[in-house]
Amino acid sequence: MADLDLDPGALAALVEARHGDPFAVLGPHDVAGGRELRVMMPGAMGVQAVSGEQVSTLRPVHEAGLFAGRIPPGPYLLRIDWGNGVVQETEDPYSFGLLISDFDLYLLSEGTHQDIANCLGAQPMEVDGVKGVRFAVWAPNARRVSVVGDFNSWDGRRNPMRKRLEGGIWELFIPRLMPGAVYKYELLGPEGNLLPLKSDPFAWQVEPPPATASVVADIAAIPKPPRRERPANQAAQPISVYEVHASSWARGDGDIALGWEELGDKLIPYAVEMGFTHLEFMPIMAHPFGGSWGYQPLGQFAPHAPFGPPEHFARMVQRCHEAGLGVILDWVPAHFPSDQHGLAMFDGTPLYEHSDPKEGYHRDWNTLIYNLGRREVRNMLIGSALHWLERYGVDGLRVDAVASMLYRDYSRNEGEWVPNIYGGRENLESIAFLQELSRVIQQRCPDRLLIAEESTAFPGVTRKPDDHDGLGFDFKWNMGWMHDTLHYMQTDPLYRRYHHGEMTFGLVYAFSEKFMLPLSHDEVVHGKGSLIGKMPGDEWQRFANLRAYLSFMWTHPGKKLLFMGGEIGQVREWNHDRSLDWHLLDDPRHAGVQRLVRDLNRLYRDTPALHQRDCVAEGFAWSVMDDAANSVFAYLRFGEDGEKPVLVVCNFTPIPHQGYTVGVPMAGAWQEVFNSDAAIYGGSNMGNGGAVQATEEPSHGQPASLSLTVPPLATIILTPP
């Protein structure tokens, strides 16, 4: 070692895997008298440098695996003898220059790198004519970061990375590494402590749980989405969403979850036949625990591995589009699990989360809260949103748990939360993040949907971010409508007269935001039972109640969302480890509910008055809102000028009404285009014989009126011919 041109301290740091600047030691270096090459190959029997016809044998200079020697100028290959006849030839990772541009580093530091998915993480590429993988990770407080995997025996001494001081980014190009390689990062924390191996926050692919490593994705194999025309004003379009948990919609042989290919074969034609406009998947981002249903993700850029590689998910989206279905993904920028291989204390410090548990710990879900006041964290999440919208071409994101993001005291008692800088409870950093998110999406992909699951009265969720501090969402889940109306439907019809306002109250605020009406997975888990299980009465009444309620929902202002199983009258509560009970469709009552939902979707889509003015007051008028004694509701829906109006009449008692008068805007024939009590749906087949004549007798503030037969526990829909 006497002639090695290397400081002893640097040598010790290198062999002990604590050197923070490996390129200062490893690779080729000009020294007195020539060019010296140093490589760290623990376990190697010998190393040679091959420069054309010239072979230079490097001498071992430390028992830990450091080799060094003089080599001629110019390019070279390493020939590594691993013993037992195994010889590897490869380029030297430490012979390559800087990889990430200064402009990229500037954008990363500013938190404005909108193409971050193609900048950080594992990127297969060609550098100086050599194919390999460039790794890059943000860990500003780490003393040393190494890429480890099967390709280097998971030895952190082999491939330590170069730190770009400008942005706290560590980078390394490993030549000849191919897609499919499994890897993690090994880090020394700021105190020099060795941290648990970390998965790549920016990985495009991960191992299936319970394994936790990242995988080098074959990015070139992921088809790029073709350009797809979408309506500019989606508030005026029919949107009927089928919410799906991918691994429990249907199961394969051996009761295992289907992959994207098999799921698409069954789910896509089913959703099309049922008339839904969109599929919404509960989070398909990589998550370590299936029981979280995806709502505790760690891989914000990677599809969940058990369903197949990223290219299979991309093909699933394409197949949906080819069939005329939009795709919405649930997306979680609020919190993340504390698994030690994930984001928690990523570089030995609270990097992605808050340091104070009063801000950074979510007691409801035992998770950590993103520090959205940090620009790099915002950049990562906005980059994730764009990744799904642009790289995979999905049509929208439903942002989960927005209410928990908006308020610092969410689910916290007095003294357990930190006020904002003005002493208030609003989370100003989260509000700014959501506004930035909506602005970026509006700029980059203005035809995509951004939907909020938001359960409070926070104002302006669907207003533009520059319009009186709006958040910029396209739609907001109407949680109040869902809770009120479900409570009403669970009440015995004998007592519904005392809860009449629960069905009308939603119209008081229906046009204060652009709403989506959700009957989501949250209403059929944790002991809440199924939709059909909530309905009172005997078997006939339970099915009649469900049919009448779904018909009320499909004709009420607001876009629609129904969780899988609701359309077949699933009896048992949803179980994420079991398939839906498709055998129920052998029962005509369940098949009747399915047919009703299918017909409602088609009627909703084909009738402008039922969707064009979903979000404006001009699209709705009460005819009968105060008949609590009979639990009857009647209302009119209007489309744009020139479109035919629609009359909806709901009877939520088991008592039919003959000669029931309802005001309408015009005399003449009105067709009964839908009746939830029809025999084809399992009803008693009471109705108006397909048509009824309106007379010029004013009623309910309208110039004409109808005398109707209103079936028991039923909703009927009428329209002029």
Side-chain angles (χ1 to χ4, degrees):
M1 294 195 306
D3 60 343
L4 180 65
D5 192 0
L6 185 62
D7 177 78
L11 172 63
L14 184 69
V15 299
E16 294 169 11
R18 52 182 176 83
H19 201 296
D21 186 12
F23 279 80
V25 180
L26 299 177
H29 292 268
D30 292 328
V31 296
R35 192 180 188 214
E36 184 172 79
L37 175 62
R38 308 167 195 140
V39 298
M40 188 70 184
M41 295 292 172
M45 305 300 293
V47 181
Q48 295 177 322
V50 181
S51 305
E53 298 296 323
Q54 184 172 344
V55 178
S56 306
T57 299
L58 306 186
R59 66 192 184 283
V61 295
H62 195 283
E63 60 187 8
L66 181 64
F67 295 81
R70 298 299 172 93
I71 62 171
Y76 61 92
L77 291 176
L78 297 178
R79 182 179 292 161
I80 308 160
D81 180 3
W82 294 107
N84 297 320
V86 178
V87 177
Q88 175 190 9
E89 281 199 356
T90 182
E91 289 75 13
D92 182 4
Y94 300 93
S95 67
F96 294 90
L98 300 176
L99 304 173
I100 297 178
S101 72
D102 290 339
F103 184 60
D104 281 326
L105 289 176
Y106 170 77
L107 294 177
L108 290 168
S109 298
E110 289 290 305
T112 57
H113 201 306
Q114 295 178 1
D115 199 23
I116 196 170
N118 289 312
C119 182
L120 300 185
Q123 304 289 331
M125 62 176 58
E126 187 174 299
V127 178
D128 298 337
V130 179
K131 292 183 178 180
V133 178
R134 186 197 70 191
F135 294 91
V137 64
W138 178 56
N141 303 303
R143 284 195 178 182
R144 187 262 300 169
V145 181
S146 297
V147 184
V148 296
D150 292 335
F151 49 86
N152 61 16
S153 301
W154 298 88
D155 190 333
R157 298 171 294 176
R158 286 271 302 276
N159 292 124
M161 305 174 77
R162 183 205 313 261
K163 186 176 184 180
R164 304 294 298 276
L165 297 176
E166 304 93 326
I169 304 297
W170 299 76
E171 64 173 23
L172 185 69
F173 179 72
I174 300 184
R176 305 199 185 192
L177 199 61
M178 301 295 290
V182 173
Y183 72 98
K184 282 188 176 182
Y185 295 116
E186 182 183 277
L187 300 91
L188 289 186
E191 306 301 322
N193 53 312
L194 186 65
L195 304 178
L197 293 182
K198 293 290 187 178
S199 301
D200 189 348
F202 294 88
W204 286 45
Q205 188 173 351
V206 299
E207 286 187 302
T212 58
S214 304
V215 178
V216 177
D218 188 357
I219 294 176
I222 302 173
K224 293 186 178 180
R227 180 173 177 79
R228 182 167 181 255
E229 295 297 329
R230 298 173 177 85
N233 179 16
Q234 302 207 57
Q237 303 301 314
I239 296 178
S240 178
V241 180
Y242 189 48
E243 186 189 25
V244 171
H245 180 252
S247 68
S248 62
W249 182 78
R251 309 277 283 188
D253 294 339
D255 197 33
I256 61 172
L258 301 177
W260 290 120
E261 299 286 337
E262 303 152 290
L263 182 64
D265 290 342
K266 298 181 178 182
L267 175 59
I268 293 172
Y270 177 78
V272 171
E273 171 62 21
M274 288 297 296
F276 289 101
T277 63
H278 292 72
L279 290 174
E280 178 175 323
F281 289 104
M282 293 164 68
I284 57 87
M285 298 79 190
H287 50 279
F289 176 51
S292 76
W293 314 330
Y295 291 103
Q296 294 189 13
L298 279 178
Q300 289 282 21
F301 296 82
H304 196 45
F307 302 137
E311 55 266 30
H312 286 189
F313 174 69
R315 179 59 187 147
M316 175 73 171
V317 175
Q318 283 193 359
R319 291 175 66 187
C320 287
H321 289 167
E322 290 164 2
L325 284 171
V327 177
I328 299 169
L329 301 182
D330 283 5
W331 182 65
V332 189
H335 60 121
F336 59 91
S338 58
D339 301 56
Q340 66 176 5
H341 68 277
L343 301 177
M345 298 291 288
F346 187 80
D347 64 356
T349 68
L351 193 62
Y352 288 91
E353 69 271 33
H354 294 270
S355 59
D356 187 344
K358 290 184 178 181
E359 295 183 279
Y361 177 65
H362 225 309
R363 295 182 304 179
D364 289 359
W365 302 308
N366 191 30
T367 53
L368 301 175
I369 300 170
Y370 284 107
N371 182 357
L372 295 174
R374 190 160 195 166
R375 57 182 179 270
E376 296 93 343
V377 176
R378 294 196 306 271
N379 195 174
M380 185 267 277
L381 291 170
I382 290 175
S384 167
L386 292 173
H387 181 65
W388 300 106
L389 292 170
E390 295 183 337
R391 189 62 181 85
Y392 289 99
V394 304
D395 300 83
L397 300 174
R398 196 277 285 176
V399 182
D400 182 65
V402 171
S404 75
M405 300 173 68
L406 294 177
Y407 296 102
R408 288 174 163 267
D409 63 346
Y410 182 88
S411 196
R412 297 180 187 272
N413 298 319
E414 187 67 32
E416 297 176 346
W417 57 282
V418 179
N420 63 34
I421 58 174
Y422 303 110
R425 58 193 287 259
E426 295 79 11
N427 192 320
L428 303 180
E429 294 81 7
S430 290
I431 292 169
F433 162 74
L434 293 171
Q435 291 174 328
E436 182 183 359
L437 172 70
S438 64
R439 289 190 191 102
V440 170
I441 291 177
Q442 179 62 31
Q443 178 187 27
R444 294 273 295 240
C445 34
D447 53 358
R448 314 300 168 86
L449 291 171
L450 193 61
I451 304 164
E453 186 220 7
E454 204 284 304
S455 56
T456 75
F458 189 91
V461 173
T462 59
R463 287 203 301 264
K464 294 184 183 300
D466 298 321
D467 179 15
H468 304 293
D469 296 324
L471 296 183
F473 286 91
D474 295 290
F475 296 102
K476 169 183 171 175
W477 274 19
N478 195 335
M479 311 292 280
W481 173 91
M482 179 266 296
H483 286 300
D484 288 346
T485 59
L486 276 179
H487 183 265
Y488 178 89
M489 294 306 300
Q490 289 176 277
T491 303
D492 188 296
L494 182 63
Y495 303 107
R496 283 176 177 168
R497 65 176 65 193
Y498 306 113
H499 299 271
H500 197 76
E502 292 177 339
M503 296 293 269
T504 61
F505 183 65
L507 271 303
V508 173
Y509 60 87
F511 309 109
S512 62
E513 302 274 9
K514 289 181 282 187
F515 282 117
M516 179 172 284
L517 310 182
L519 291 179
S520 75
H521 66 276
D522 278 331
E523 307 317 309
V524 293
V525 290
H526 301 320
K528 296 178 184 177
S530 61
L531 287 182
I532 190 74
K534 299 178 194 297
M535 302 296 132
D538 59 26
E539 282 296 291
W540 189 93
Q541 290 181 344
R542 290 170 62 208
F543 279 92
N545 270 304
L546 180 60
R547 295 193 304 267
Y549 178 52
L550 292 172
S551 305
F552 169 77
M553 171 182 173
W554 253 257
T555 55
H556 191 286
K559 307 309 178 186
K560 325 300 175 190
L561 178 139
L562 182 66
F563 182 57
M564 64 183 200
E567 84 282 7
I568 64 171
Q570 172 97 5
V571 175
R572 65 171 174 83
E573 187 174 88
W574 171 57
N575 182 336
H576 65 271
D577 287 327
R578 284 182 56 185
S579 168
L580 294 181
D581 294 333
W582 294 107
H583 65 273
L584 293 175
L585 292 174
D586 294 336
D587 184 329
R589 296 170 300 180
H590 292 277
V593 175
Q594 184 189 50
R595 182 169 185 171
L596 174 127
V597 172
R598 182 188 63 199
D599 289 352
L600 282 172
N601 271 329
R602 291 176 178 171
L603 184 66
Y604 168 67
R605 181 190 62 209
D606 296 340
T607 307
L610 291 178
H611 62 255
Q612 279 184 344
R613 291 181 170 178
D614 260 335
C615 303
V616 293
E618 293 79 6
F620 179 89
W622 282 110
S623 288
V624 178
M625 68 170 294
D626 56 358
D627 190 359
N630 292 305
S631 297
V632 170
F633 306 85
Y635 46 91
L636 291 157
R637 296 295 311 276
F638 301 97
E640 301 295 342
D641 293 342
E643 298 290 352
K644 295 183 293 186
V646 168
L647 173 69
V648 182
V649 184
C650 306
N651 176 14
F652 288 111
T653 71
I655 301 171
H657 300 287
Q658 303 284 352
Y660 193 93
T661 300
V662 178
V664 291
M666 63 189 71
W670 284 68
Q671 292 181 326
E672 188 177 68
V673 295
F674 176 87
N675 183 343
S676 72
D677 191 50
I680 57 173
Y681 306 135
S684 65
N685 219 31
M686 180 178 289
N688 295 277
V692 64
Q693 198 74 16
T695 62
E696 293 182 351
E697 296 182 21
S699 181
H700 301 110
Q702 298 291 338
S705 59
L706 291 167
S707 179
L708 297 172
T709 295
V710 186
L713 295 174
T715 295
I716 59 174
I717 304 175
L718 301 99
T719 186

